[in-house]
């Protein structure tokens, strides 16, 4: 399992599905299959461990779906009488880029001239988010329907957007 690498968060989504007994591993496998059915190019799957708190805290496993420098970290976990699902879409900067961005004068110049935010970059991230989110919702819809539970409301289905690539 890969260690969790820091993400620059672009958007987030979560929901709690009461009354749904589910296994995180089965959920992750179903999401992987749903993403593969969508033919998202250059997609890689792995598992990452994120700490629940500080350095000595327990870890929680997430499904990471990565495409180029964009990554979805997806959580699926039993909680109380239900199953919690969340995802975090972020940009995974390379070590060099991360280092350059932290230098006071160099960082802003690098962002503006070498790695600028473009319509293409934003559109690509938006397309990627739409496809992965749709795959997660397909899996949830299948699980809730199979157990006779109510479907997610339209409001429950919407991700929380951040300013794309506001570094």
């Amino acid at each position: 399992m890969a260690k969790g690498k820091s993400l620059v968060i672009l958007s987030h989504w979560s929901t709690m599905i009461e009354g749904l007994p589910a296994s995180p591993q089965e959920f992750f496998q179903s999401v992987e299959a749903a993403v593969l059915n969508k033919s998202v190019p250059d997609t890689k799957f792995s598992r990452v461990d994120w700490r629940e708190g500080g350095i000595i805290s327990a870890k929680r496993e997430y499904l990471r779906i990565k495409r180029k420098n964009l990554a979805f970290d997806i959580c699926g976990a039993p909680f109380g009488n239900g199953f919690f699902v969340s995802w975090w879409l972020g940009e995974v900067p390379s070590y060099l880029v991360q280092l350059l961005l932290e230098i006071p004068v160099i960082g802003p110049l690098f962002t503006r001239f070498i790695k600028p935010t473009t319509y293409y970059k934003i559109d690509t991230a938006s397309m990627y988010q739409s496809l992965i989110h749709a795959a997660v919702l397909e899996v949830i819809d299948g699980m809730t329907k199979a157990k006779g539970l109510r479907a997610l409301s339209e409001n429950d289905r919407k991700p929380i957007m951040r300013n794309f690539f506001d570094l």
Side-chain angles (χ1 to χ4, degrees), residues 11-15 27 31 34-35 38 40 65 72 74 85-89 125-141 152-161:
S11 59
H12 171 252
W13 176 82
S14 66
T15 192
F27 174 72
V31 170
V35 170
K38 296 199 175 297
V40 180
I65 305 172
F72 266 92
I74 301 172
V85 177
S86 74
W87 59 246
W88 299 85
L89 171 61
S126 184
M127 286 184 278
Y128 183 56
Q129 175 183 296
S130 295
L131 281 174
I132 303 301
H133 185 60
V136 170
L137 290 175
E138 280 177 25
V139 171
I140 290 171
D141 289 345
L152 296 179
S153 70
E154 283 305 310
N155 200 37
D156 290 338
R157 300 170 85 80
K158 294 178 186 175
I160 300 166
M161 302 298 294

Side-chain angles (χ1 to χ4, degrees), residues 97 100-102 105-118 121 165-167:
V97 168
L100 289 172
L101 291 174
E102 292 180 18
V105 174
I106 303 296
L109 290 174
F110 179 79
T111 301
R112 182 170 172 92
F113 296 108
I114 306 296
K115 193 177 179 246
T117 299
T118 63
K121 188 176 180 180
F165 304 100
D166 189 18
L167 301 175

Side-chain angles (χ1 to χ4, degrees), residues 33-99:
V35 170
L36 287 171
N37 285 337
K38 296 199 175 297
S39 302
V40 180
D42 306 316
T43 302
K44 295 180 180 153
F45 301 95
S46 63
R47 301 292 196 275
V48 293
D49 290 327
W50 285 106
R51 292 203 177 274
E52 292 177 359
I55 196 163
I56 60 171
S57 68
K59 296 177 182 179
R60 179 162 308 271
E61 184 179 66
Y62 285 71
L63 167 63
R64 175 164 282 183
I65 305 172
K66 191 165 189 255
R67 180 180 187 275
K68 298 184 180 181
N69 67 331
L70 293 173
F72 266 92
D73 284 348
I74 301 172
C75 174
F79 190 79
N81 70 343
F83 193 73
F84 176 78
V85 177
S86 74
W87 59 246
W88 299 85
L89 171 61
E91 185 175 29
V92 183
S94 70
Y95 180 75
L96 178 61
V97 168
Q98 207 167 8
L99 185 66

